[in-house]
Amino acid sequence: MHNFLRNTAEKILKQSDSLRELVVVLPNRRAGLFFTQHLGALIDQPTWMPEVKTIEDVFYDFAGKRPADDLTLIFELYRVYGELHPEPETFDRFFFWGEMILKDFNDVDQFMADPDKLYHHLAEIKELESDLSFLTDSQIELIRQFWNSFITQDKKHQEKFLKFWQLLKPLYRVFQASLEVSGLAYSGKLYRQVAEKLNTIQKPNKKYLFVGFNAFTKTEEVLIKHFIKEFGAEIYWDVDAYYTLDGNQEAGLFFREYRRDAILGPTFPEELPEMIQEKSANIKTYATPLKVNQANLVGSLLEQIPQEERLEETVVILPDEQLLFPVLHSLPERIDQVNVTMGYPVKNAPVYAFLEAVLEMQRFIKLENGEAYFYHQPIKNLLSSTYLKSVNPTFCKQVLGEIQAMNKVYIPKADLQKGGKIFELIFQKLEADQLFPYLSSLMQELAELLQEDMLQRNYLFQCFKQLTRLRDTFEQQEQLGIEREFFIRLFRQVFQEVKLPFEGEPLRGLQVMGVLESRNLDFRRVIICNMNEDSFPPSAGLNSMIPFTIRRAFGLPVQEQNDAIYAYTFYRLLHAAEEVHMIYTTAADQGKAGEKSRYIQQMEVELNQEVAEEVIYVPIDQKSTAAIQIEKVPAILQTMERYLVGESGHSETAFSPSALNVYLDCHLKFYLQYIAGISEKEEVSEEIDAGVFGNLAHYSLENLYAGFVQRKNRTQIEKEDIAELQKNWIFPAVEKAIRDFYHLEEEADTKLNGQLAIARDVIQRYVEQVLEYDASTAPFRLVSLEKEKKYQTGLKILTPTGTREVMLRGIIDRVDELNGVIRLIDYKSGGDQKTFPDLEALFDRSLEKRNKAAMQTLFYGLIYQGTHPENTAPLKPAIFNLKEVFKDNFDPYLYQKEGRKAGVEVMDYKTYDQDFQAKLKGLLEEIYNPEVPFDQTEVLKKCEYCPYKEICGR
């Protein structure tokens, strides 16, 4: 098998009398490691090895220093910027485009562009772009309509805009002088210093060999050409005729340019190798539906490796680092040695997510009377994390339960700090200058908790190192303050670049690499994941303040060069490969289309060989979801005994009208909610939705009349009583309802704002309008209010165990007596209808708009009469729709009405009692009938907002 580094080592060994007199320069350290291994395997007797370096080492050695870190350099850049600009931005706002300026400065120096000319032209271009004086108003308007970003600005904004671009030229010059004084440098500056002073470098006493390079920066090209011309250095090219001789092949872009160079041209071999065309590797592509399916496919491909074959000859290339762990988890059991050359991003680690959540919590703290209150969402995330649950699971469960049960939107600090030491450390309000020591202490505390989890401790250690570096850098900048929001953004940006390096034996086992780590390395079997356009090659453009035209004119890299580098990295993997497996995803992911890479398309056209493709699919059952039926087995019937009266004369629970309405809507929903006991997921409600609004209105009306009865010690309500209630007691009743619902202390200074304040005012208007209607019907006598009394009665039905009594129970919002008639009043916040055609329609489950409210109020008549069998007064159901109380013709009573016929008012429930009981008895007997399963409704409209639809697949 062809192996470039081994072949090069063999040539060097044959051509050199003394390896000790050589310096071998390679693009990266990994290539150097493999080169040394091959050279060592070829040597059959003790000898001095050559010096192996990277190109970076060469430049930094000649420069006599190494570059400072980016954050320190940006601080220095900002200091210079502040001296030049009369009205400088804050460091917070400067940082994020300061990074871009620094990167551009690095490119300018790496490619030895003239900074004065470049930034002079840039300023002129920006001046032309902002100067619209030569256009008429109508022309400017037409341009603005065509190109939205082409918008006129006032003179002050134009001048500020231009001043920034004109500042870049002096900023570059003063920044260079400042770095000279401080002794700092960025890599491009060091490269340029070396390249511009090559004539001062004395001839080295060792011969330099440059191995495996493809794309030089200008400074690298100048240095290498100088070494070749003046010091007799040599170059060993890792090249193939396939992409070099084809003028359209982007992979050979740089090689074609170098072959035309007077100095570099003669270093190329007279006849270029033709490995790709001659070898005809077995190439296959795979289309997978989802990204994670690629990991399973990699595992199955590795299973096919013959037992006798060395794993070192197989490489898995991962353009997307997120696939690393899925691939590692999918490896066959027999692969016990893996060398991972790519670091895993700390940002994907659970411990980083925890630290980020802690910082996010700081953004949503409010102060009331000097006490800190924490917003519920980040608190729930933190209390649900394994780190806090492992310390005090009981406390976490208790607080989470209280947040849910009491609908706490904000939680006081004191309540959260009761969990223990780490809870006291986490839940505190911080000022900006406390963030560094706070996070440092928290990381040390977490390290104690993670004694047994070495992987998480390693992640934490990388975070701690980065935090310490950040803190040291900031401490050197005493003149700069730091805001909390900026700290959080900086924390995210800096830590997203931190990677956890994997330790292992780099020369043994299966090789798992990123794209660029594979340079100069050759493998028999190549498996490349994520061969999607926008992933390999990546789509990310150059993040620069210098536009494309100027970059190209001054020889700075543009996207074309980046594409050429990735193309070469791909094609050189084919130099030695006998098997190539390329996997791409057909589904869009994170905004990237599921399109195969252009490299696959090119190979299919250019290689003159058939590239087989296999579509990998995940078997799915395309049949319609089977209907769900829960048979009433003995265990379920036993559970339903709870609703039946036992030997003691009591039942454990009872059927409510809500439960029966649920059964009529969907038998399965009834089973899940009332038999299986699967509750709906509860969430903290910050918004005043219909349910919350209805509850607050109910409580307010109950508080209003209950308070009256308590104060006056009588239940008779006169018209003048209502006038007093309207004048003095509506506001306290609504306030008490809000306090009770949100579990606020009675003496607490309740400050309502936003939606709650609006809802309070709206509820007051509704309550006042209800009182207006009550005033028109007064006097009346209150019989009971919602919380005072539960009405219940029994109903004999036929069950599998014989005739049994089933218990029925309900809570009636308000019962009063008006002119000798008992009114059974139900408050509704929706738009419930008050008409029904007949009793049959109230029990017809096939109706999409069955009148549940009418059925419920008639049910109230049944249980009231059952609770008071001695009653002879008429029982009149009524529905107070709050949405209708403002109408002049508001009428709360039920009507039996068919079609367009005149409706008949329901004057007394007792006229319907016999038929209603018969219908209800039939319904309850069906519930207990073992032959009737709990099945799904056929009316799919009822499934739209059902909380159980994910269970039944509707």
Side-chain angles (χ1 to χ4, degrees):
M1 183 186 83
H2 167 82
N3 189 303
F4 170 72
L5 291 178
R6 185 185 61 212
N7 295 348
T8 304
E10 193 171 1
K11 288 178 186 176
I12 292 172
L13 192 59
K14 287 179 180 179
Q15 296 170 4
S16 302
D17 297 329
S18 173
L19 295 178
R20 187 179 185 179
E21 305 302 320
L22 299 178
V23 176
V24 181
V25 183
L26 293 117
N28 57 42
R29 298 190 189 284
R30 182 153 305 278
L33 189 64
F34 276 82
F35 173 81
T36 304
Q37 180 205 28
H38 291 306
L39 190 59
L42 293 169
I43 296 172
D44 55 7
Q45 59 184 0
T47 185
W48 289 100
M49 293 292 281
E51 194 175 348
V52 179
K53 292 184 174 184
T54 65
I55 191 69
E56 274 188 347
D57 294 333
V58 173
F59 274 95
Y60 296 158
D61 288 347
F62 282 122
K65 65 169 70 171
R66 290 189 170 262
D69 66 276
D70 284 351
L71 190 58
T72 301
L73 292 167
I74 292 174
F75 273 120
E76 187 65 20
L77 183 63
Y78 178 70
R79 189 186 64 76
V80 173
Y81 165 78
E83 294 174 356
L84 294 174
H85 201 294
E87 298 177 1
E89 306 271 356
T90 62
F91 181 71
D92 182 349
R93 298 187 64 180
F94 174 85
F95 178 84
F96 298 99
W97 47 266
E99 276 190 315
M100 203 181 303
I101 294 174
L102 186 61
K103 184 179 180 302
D104 284 343
F105 285 177
N106 190 68
D107 283 349
V108 167
D109 286 342
Q110 280 276 18
F111 290 85
M112 303 183 74
D114 185 330
D116 294 331
K117 288 183 179 179
L118 186 149
Y119 286 113
H120 174 74
H121 286 302
L122 179 58
E124 286 186 336
I125 285 176
K126 295 301 176 182
E127 185 172 0
L128 286 172
E129 288 178 355
S130 62
D131 182 14
L132 308 182
S133 60
F134 60 93
L135 298 175
T136 65
D137 291 342
S138 60
Q139 287 173 323
I140 291 173
E141 180 60 25
L142 285 171
I143 292 173
R144 187 183 66 81
Q145 292 174 6
F146 177 73
W147 183 19
N148 286 334
S149 64
F150 201 57
I151 299 174
T152 58
Q153 296 183 342
D154 58 43
K155 196 69 176 175
K156 182 179 179 182
H157 281 99
Q158 285 188 11
E159 289 175 356
K160 188 175 181 180
F161 175 78
L162 285 175
K163 191 175 292 183
F164 170 76
W165 295 102
Q166 292 164 355
L167 185 69
L168 290 176
K169 178 179 172 181
L171 181 62
Y172 174 86
R173 285 301 176 195
V174 178
F175 183 52
Q176 300 302 315
S178 173
L179 293 180
E180 291 294 336
V181 173
S182 64
L184 300 174
Y186 51 90
S187 62
K189 178 179 174 62
L190 296 179
Y191 273 52
R192 186 167 194 154
Q193 285 177 352
V194 173
E196 289 178 343
K197 297 179 180 179
L198 287 174
N199 292 331
T200 65
I201 297 177
Q202 294 183 355
K203 183 176 180 179
N205 53 12
K206 293 185 178 183
K207 183 176 182 177
Y208 277 70
L209 305 177
F210 296 93
V211 177
F213 285 90
N214 162 45
F216 301 129
T217 64
K218 184 64 176 178
T219 50
E220 290 171 347
E221 182 180 341
V222 168
L223 180 138
I224 291 172
K225 286 163 73 172
H226 180 79
F227 270 60
I228 293 172
K229 183 179 179 182
E230 303 296 334
F231 305 146
E234 295 180 15
I235 295 186
Y236 292 85
W237 300 101
D238 190 4
V239 67
D240 190 88
Y242 167 70
Y243 47 76
T244 306
L245 301 181
D246 183 352
N248 295 319
Q249 245 295 351
E250 56 191 343
L253 176 70
F254 296 101
F255 292 130
R256 290 191 291 273
E257 180 183 330
Y258 299 152
R259 290 183 78 209
R260 292 191 295 267
D261 185 85
I263 297 176
L264 295 177
T267 64
F268 282 83
E270 290 184 12
E271 298 234 352
L272 296 179
E274 296 185 3
M275 294 168 287
I276 294 178
Q277 289 282 26
E278 288 181 352
K279 188 167 45 55
S280 297
N282 180 17
I283 300 174
K284 192 171 183 181
T285 63
Y286 304 83
T288 62
L290 298 172
K291 182 190 289 187
V292 73
N293 299 139
Q294 299 183 65
N296 299 327
L297 179 56
V298 169
S300 65
L301 292 173
L302 294 174
E303 284 275 14
Q304 300 169 21
I305 298 177
Q307 290 281 355
E308 65 276 7
E309 186 177 313
R310 297 171 62 245
L311 284 174
E312 293 80 10
E313 296 181 346
T314 297
V315 66
V316 178
I317 303 292
L318 300 180
D320 185 348
E321 57 202 7
Q322 290 185 349
L323 276 174
L324 176 59
F325 277 162
V327 165
L328 292 179
H329 284 298
S330 302
L331 296 180
E333 289 185 9
R334 71 182 183 89
I335 297 182
D336 55 356
Q337 287 186 327
V338 182
N339 175 44
V340 179
T341 68
M342 55 194 301
Y344 190 72
V346 168
K347 67 180 180 181
N348 294 337
V351 71
Y352 170 77
F354 180 79
L355 294 172
E356 189 176 38
V358 168
L359 287 177
E360 188 71 11
M361 174 190 71
Q362 292 292 325
R363 301 179 61 203
F364 302 100
I365 298 175
K366 72 173 185 178
L367 291 175
E368 283 190 7
N369 300 324
E371 184 176 5
Y373 285 79
F374 295 84
Y375 183 58
H376 70 97
Q377 196 57 58
I379 297 304
K380 286 162 68 176
N381 293 340
L382 288 170
L383 293 178
S384 301
S385 70
T386 55
Y387 306 110
L388 293 187
K389 285 170 73 175
S390 65
V391 175
N392 194 336
T394 305
F395 176 76
C396 291
K397 184 177 180 180
Q398 174 193 335
V399 175
L400 287 170
E402 288 177 0
I403 291 173
Q404 194 62 61
M406 302 173 70
N407 204 66
K408 288 185 175 180
V409 178
Y410 282 91
I411 303 94
K413 179 179 75 171
D415 290 358
L416 295 168
Q417 290 190 339
K418 294 176 182 176
K421 179 181 175 182
I422 193 168
F423 293 85
E424 291 178 7
L425 175 61
I426 290 173
F427 299 113
Q428 51 180 303
K429 185 181 184 306
L430 302 172
E431 299 303 324
D433 59 355
Q434 298 174 298
L435 288 168
F436 278 119
Y438 169 79
L439 280 179
S440 180
S441 301
L442 178 57
M443 288 182 185
Q444 292 179 49
E445 191 68 27
L446 285 174
E448 293 296 319
L449 296 177
L450 298 170
Q451 292 285 354
E452 305 300 320
D453 191 339
M454 291 309 298
L455 182 60
Q456 291 299 319
R457 278 177 66 88
N458 283 333
Y459 281 129
L460 194 61
F461 177 65
Q462 294 298 325
C463 291
F464 188 77
K465 281 202 309 184
Q466 194 71 0
L467 183 76
T468 303
R469 187 179 71 81
L470 265 178
R471 182 177 57 191
D472 291 344
T473 305
F474 270 95
E475 285 176 354
Q476 296 169 16
Q477 313 296 328
E478 296 179 0
Q479 75 278 16
L480 294 177
I482 180 170
E483 297 297 327
R484 184 177 59 210
E485 284 297 313
F486 170 60
F487 181 90
I488 294 173
R489 292 203 304 273
L490 183 64
F491 178 89
R492 285 176 177 158
Q493 179 158 336
V494 171
F495 278 72
Q496 282 184 354
E497 299 171 2
V498 179
K499 295 185 178 181
L500 176 67
F502 287 88
E503 295 180 4
E505 174 51 60
L507 303 174
R508 298 180 63 186
L510 175 72
Q511 303 291 309
V512 180
M513 297 183 171
V515 174
L516 297 179
E517 284 89 354
S518 67
R519 285 176 295 182
N520 301 146
L521 307 182
D522 293 292
F523 301 93
R524 183 189 304 276
R525 179 178 292 98
V526 177
I527 302 172
I528 310 177
C529 297
N530 243 55
M531 280 292 292
N532 283 75
E533 194 67 19
D534 294 345
S535 181
F536 191 11
S539 62
L542 292 171
N543 194 18
S544 172
M545 301 183 77
I546 305 172
F548 170 84
T549 50
I550 293 185
R551 292 186 72 91
R552 180 178 282 282
F554 282 85
L556 302 187
V558 292
Q559 188 61 38
E560 182 183 356
Q561 277 93 339
N562 274 5
D563 289 345
I565 291 171
Y566 272 91
Y568 169 74
T569 308
F570 169 74
Y571 280 103
R572 73 149 316 280
L573 285 168
L574 307 181
H575 286 187
E578 297 172 9
E579 280 185 34
V580 180
H581 303 273
M582 297 179 290
I583 310 170
Y584 69 94
T585 303
T586 56
D589 180 61
Q590 296 180 352
K592 297 178 180 179
E595 179 186 354
K596 67 173 70 172
S597 170
R598 75 184 77 155
Y599 301 149
I600 298 178
Q601 314 268 18
Q602 289 170 2
M603 290 174 64
E604 291 174 346
V605 173
E606 298 172 359
L607 277 180
N608 296 323
Q609 70 176 83
E610 186 176 345
V611 178
E613 176 160 334
E614 181 179 345
V615 177
I616 307 298
Y617 65 93
V618 179
I620 58 172
D621 187 359
Q622 296 186 347
K623 297 178 183 177
S624 300
T625 306
I628 300 176
Q629 288 190 344
I630 306 296
E631 301 295 336
K632 292 171 184 170
V633 296
I636 290 177
L637 291 171
Q638 180 63 38
T639 303
M640 293 168 62
E641 285 281 325
R642 296 179 299 158
Y643 295 93
L644 300 174
V645 176
E647 295 179 358
S648 63
H650 301 284
S651 65
E652 291 182 36
T653 186
F655 285 109
S656 66
S658 298
L660 297 176
N661 270 324
V662 168
Y663 181 81
L664 286 167
D665 277 349
C666 178
H667 296 174
L668 180 62
K669 181 178 179 182
F670 171 84
Y671 167 79
L672 294 171
Q673 186 170 346
Y674 293 98
I675 307 301
I678 301 175
S679 303
E680 297 181 34
K681 184 179 180 181
E682 296 184 0
E683 297 287 350
V684 174
S685 178
E686 298 179 55
E687 298 183 354
I688 309 300
D689 57 23
V692 173
F693 184 88
N695 286 332
L696 292 175
H698 274 67
Y699 296 159
S700 299
L701 287 163
E702 183 181 358
N703 293 338
L704 192 68
Y705 281 121
F708 171 85
V709 173
Q710 187 176 10
R711 289 190 305 274
K712 302 292 186 178
N713 200 25
R714 59 182 168 89
T715 57
Q716 185 72 14
I717 308 290
E718 306 292 341
K719 283 192 177 183
E720 52 269 25
D721 294 328
I722 291 178
E724 181 191 353
L725 289 173
Q726 287 178 312
K727 182 179 180 182
N728 301 321
W729 296 102
I730 293 179
F731 182 82
V734 176
E735 280 281 306
K736 186 176 188 307
I738 292 173
R739 288 177 185 274
D740 290 344
F741 184 80
Y742 288 102
H743 301 274
L744 301 172
E745 296 178 12
E746 204 154 318
E747 299 80 15
D749 181 18
T750 309
K751 296 178 182 178
L752 304 183
N753 50 47
Q755 290 187 351
L756 203 55
I758 296 171
R760 177 192 60 192
D761 297 341
V762 174
I763 290 169
Q764 285 181 212
R765 290 188 61 203
Y766 280 128
V767 172
E768 186 174 347
Q769 198 63 29
V770 171
L771 289 180
E772 283 290 329
Y773 178 80
D774 283 346
S776 69
T777 59
F780 56 85
R781 179 179 66 86
L782 291 172
V783 177
S784 69
L785 296 171
E786 185 174 349
K787 291 181 182 176
E788 291 180 354
K789 189 170 184 179
K790 290 183 179 178
Y791 293 92
Q792 68 179 28
T793 187
L795 187 65
K796 291 188 181 297
I797 63 169
L798 188 63
T799 72
T801 57
T803 300
R804 301 283 299 275
E805 187 175 18
V806 65
M807 190 58 67
L808 308 174
R809 183 181 301 154
I811 299 174
I812 307 175
D813 291 341
R814 171 173 139 194
V815 181
D816 62 24
E817 183 181 357
L818 175 65
N819 300 326
V821 175
I822 301 295
R823 294 192 301 176
L824 310 173
I825 297 174
D826 195 22
Y827 298 130
K828 295 290 186 184
S829 59
D832 297 85
Q833 296 296 314
K834 293 185 283 291
T835 62
F836 62 98
D838 50 39
L839 289 181
E840 187 73 33
L842 299 183
F843 290 85
D844 187 351
R845 73 181 300 206
S846 67
L847 292 178
E848 184 179 315
K849 295 184 178 179
R850 186 177 57 83
N851 194 330
K852 301 176 188 178
M855 192 267 191
Q856 185 171 343
T857 51
L858 290 173
F859 183 93
Y860 289 159
L862 171 66
I863 58 176
Y864 182 90
Q865 191 62 35
T867 306
H868 298 285
E870 73 286 354
N871 174 63
T872 58
L875 299 176
K876 193 168 187 178
I879 299 174
F880 276 40
N881 277 341
L882 297 181
K883 288 184 177 181
E884 297 179 0
V885 293
F886 292 94
K887 295 181 179 179
D888 294 336
N889 60 345
F890 173 64
D891 183 354
Y893 302 116
L894 288 185
Y895 287 82
Q896 184 175 349
K897 181 177 183 296
E898 289 191 36
R900 297 186 178 182
K901 296 179 182 178
V904 178
E905 186 175 350
V906 178
M907 304 300 295
D908 185 2
Y909 159 76
K910 292 196 290 296
T911 61
Y912 294 85
D913 181 59
Q914 188 173 353
D915 289 342
F916 186 77
Q917 285 201 40
K919 297 288 183 189
L920 190 58
K921 182 179 178 182
L923 177 66
L924 292 166
E925 287 181 347
E926 180 186 296
I927 292 176
Y928 279 89
N929 185 348
E931 304 301 320
V932 179
F934 293 113
D935 58 3
Q936 298 163 288
T937 180
E938 298 299 323
V939 185
L940 298 182
K941 191 74 175 174
K942 297 179 180 180
C943 302
E944 285 186 1
Y945 303 104
C946 176
Y948 303 98
K949 64 180 180 181
E950 292 183 5
I951 294 178
C952 68
R954 286 287 178 83

